[in-house]
Structure formats: C-alpha cells, structure tokens
C-alpha cells in the first residue's frame, strides 16, 4: 500500500529497514473496533490497532495477544489470523500481520497511546493501512469456518 509520506516519518528509528509488525483488530459485542491514538512518530495523532514489533522467538499469535494486553489491558478471545499486508513508502517498509479477536471487557487501560475509542467506522485520521484492514478483519471474525 502506498501513500504520501507523513511529516514525522523522519523521526522513525526504523526508517530504511524492513520491520515485521503484528497488529490485532479487537471488536466488542456491538461489532465496534478498538482504535488507539498514537502519541509517537510516525503518524502522531492518528488512530491505529494495538500491536507492535514481533519479538525474537515469539509466535505471531503470541505477539498479537501481548500487544493487545500491554497496550490496553484487554485479553482477547477467539483470536484469528486474518492476513499479511506489505506496506511501502519512502524509507518505510513494513510487513503487517493482521489478527482479529473479540473482547468481553471494554474497559481499556492505556499504556502509551493518548486515547482510545470504539468505532463503528474509523475516523478520517486513521492510519490508511489500518482503515483498509478493518473490513477484512471484521469479515474474518464474523465468518464461521466450514467443517470438512
């Protein structure tokens, strides 16, 4: 996915490197998605999913669960792998592993973001790749697997 370079990308310590990132789209019982407002560059002030870098020796699902818990205090239920997306911009290359889950509690304890909100539709100032992945995550979570 390509888009205009954000003004604060120069402050990204990972600029110029490929970085695997694991994110998790958490949905409440109303079908709303949890988005967190970034405080740090790049994309300061934009809405995003919980998540972060994959740690050495960690499974993708464990990274998704850890990211959600560390950033929100929420424990996911019914975690599903959804997709891998590649995101390119000048000096920016991310491999984004998307998971989706449901959460029972909606009481969030933020650790590093400035705000959180449950959205039916993402606001305009949502990181573009996140905005593009919400419908896919919602559909994956609502689709029941067929038994063979």
């Amino acid at each position: 996915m390509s888009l205009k370079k954000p003004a604060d990308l120069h402050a990204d310590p990972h600029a110029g490197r490929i970085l695997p990132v694991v994110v998790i789209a958490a949905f409440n019982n109303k079908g709303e998605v949890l988005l967190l407002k970034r405080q740090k560059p790049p994309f300061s002030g934009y809405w995003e999913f919980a998540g972060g870098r994959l740690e050495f020796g960690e499974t993708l699902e464990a990274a998704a669960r850890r990211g959600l818990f560390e950033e929100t205090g929420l424990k996911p239920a019914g975690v599903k792998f959804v997709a891998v997306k590649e995101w390119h911009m000048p000096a920016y290359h991310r491999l984004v592993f998307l998971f989706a889950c449901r959460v029972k509690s909606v009481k969030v304890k933020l650790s590093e973001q400035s705000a959180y909100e449950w959205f039916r539709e993402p606001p305009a100032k949502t990181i573009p790749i996140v905005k593009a992945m919400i419908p896919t995550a919602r559909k994956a979570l609502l689709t029941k697997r067929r038994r063979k």
Side-chain angles (χ1 to χ4, degrees):
M1 174 170 274
S2 177
L3 77 141
K4 186 179 163 194
K5 181 178 167 182
D8 63 0
L9 185 59
H10 69 278
D12 183 358
H14 306 290
R17 296 195 289 172
I18 298 170
L19 187 68
V21 177
V22 181
V23 297
I24 187 161
F27 292 89
N28 63 20
N29 63 1
K30 296 178 187 174
E32 298 166 325
V33 66
L34 175 65
L35 296 178
L36 311 174
K37 192 176 247 185
R38 286 186 65 84
Q39 288 191 103
K40 299 178 189 175
F43 295 103
S44 298
Y46 278 73
W47 295 93
E48 68 176 349
F49 295 131
R53 290 178 294 181
L54 179 65
E55 294 181 357
F56 184 80
E58 186 175 42
T59 67
L60 293 170
E61 184 176 327
R65 289 175 178 277
R66 175 184 54 79
L68 183 66
F69 184 73
E70 285 179 357
E71 294 182 7
T72 68
L74 298 174
K75 292 185 179 178
V79 174
K80 281 189 176 182
F81 173 73
V82 178
V84 178
K85 299 288 184 184
E86 201 169 3
W87 188 14
H88 292 273
M89 289 187 303
Y92 196 86
H93 187 176
R94 300 293 182 263
L95 296 176
V96 183
F97 297 88
L98 173 63
F99 285 80
C101 72
R102 293 188 187 279
V103 291
K104 292 180 182 174
S105 174
V106 293
K107 293 184 180 187
V108 174
K109 297 175 192 166
L110 292 177
S111 64
E112 58 186 60
Q113 290 81 4
S114 63
Y116 77 91
E117 197 164 325
W118 295 94
F119 292 98
R120 179 47 98 183
E121 296 298 325
K125 204 169 180 185
T126 299
I127 295 175
I129 195 168
V130 170
K131 189 180 278 191
M133 291 190 296
I134 291 171
T136 306
R138 183 177 276 124
K139 183 177 178 182
L141 199 58
L142 297 176
T143 304
K144 292 184 180 180
R145 291 186 181 181
R146 292 182 185 161
R147 293 190 177 183
K148 292 182 180 183

